[in-house]
Amino acid sequence: METPINPNAYSDPHREMSGDLIQYLQALYHEKKKILLICAIFFITSAVYLAFIPNSYETEVQILVEQLGDVEKFAPQTGSSNFKGEDDYYGTQVAIITGKKISSRVKNELGVSSGSYVLTARRLRGTRIISVSVKSKDAKLAARVAN
């Protein structure tokens, strides 16, 4: 004798997924007060934290530096032209810009201490341009020091 097919013996995976989703949404609905409280605490904490972060401004200027006195030398094997001692020259210029003499000159001309700003300089690779950036909590001071 054949056994009859029981329609409840086989489960439909889509039916189970939709049932799980409904249970998940119901659990979220019942815990909505806790979820809203956690979100509110996170939002308020973030707002207070961001309110107390000091503003920081950065100004950047680029200076074209010409090397005087040296004749340009052609390198036939690379097909490019390079100045003799180019890396040393531009490295020296960066050191001069970030050195104590410039800091004391800024202090004398603008009347600000070197602790109220951060001055950095770097050569843009493969160019004769030196990029000077100044960071400060005062936007006008950063612009004045960079200039």
Side-chain angles (χ1 to χ4, degrees):
M1 199 162 160
E2 284 185 38
T3 57
I5 298 175
N6 183 358
N8 295 330
Y10 300 101
S11 62
D12 184 13
H14 297 293
R15 177 181 252 174
E16 284 182 18
M17 260 185 12
S18 65
D20 289 343
L21 181 61
I22 290 171
Q23 287 178 343
Y24 180 70
L25 291 175
Q26 286 175 345
L28 286 176
Y29 181 76
H30 290 300
E31 300 295 330
K32 68 182 174 190
K33 288 182 181 179
K34 288 181 184 175
I35 293 171
L36 289 175
L37 180 65
I38 290 170
C39 289
I41 289 171
F42 177 76
F43 178 75
I44 291 169
T45 305
S46 299
V48 168
Y49 176 74
L50 289 174
F52 286 108
I53 292 177
N55 293 333
S56 180
Y57 300 95
E58 182 174 359
T59 304
E60 184 173 342
V61 294
Q62 294 180 342
I63 303 168
L64 177 64
V65 178
E66 295 288 337
Q67 187 174 11
L68 301 175
D70 283 342
V71 178
E72 194 170 330
K73 180 176 147 184
F74 185 75
Q77 64 272 29
T78 61
S80 65
S81 59
N82 290 319
F83 288 112
K84 181 180 178 184
E86 183 176 273
D87 291 334
D88 290 341
Y89 178 77
Y90 291 109
T92 302
Q93 298 305 309
V94 168
I96 289 171
I97 291 171
T98 58
K100 290 182 181 180
K101 187 172 183 178
I102 297 294
S103 294
S104 65
R105 191 169 173 187
V106 168
K107 183 178 180 179
N108 292 339
E109 289 182 19
L110 302 178
V112 295
S113 66
S114 61
S116 59
Y117 64 90
V118 176
L119 182 123
T120 57
R122 64 180 175 84
R123 178 181 176 203
L124 300 181
R125 179 178 285 183
T127 67
R128 296 175 299 181
I129 297 173
I130 294 178
S131 176
V132 178
S133 66
V134 179
K135 290 182 184 178
S136 177
K137 293 180 182 179
D138 180 12
K140 291 180 182 179
L141 173 66
R144 288 179 21 218
V145 170
N147 287 331

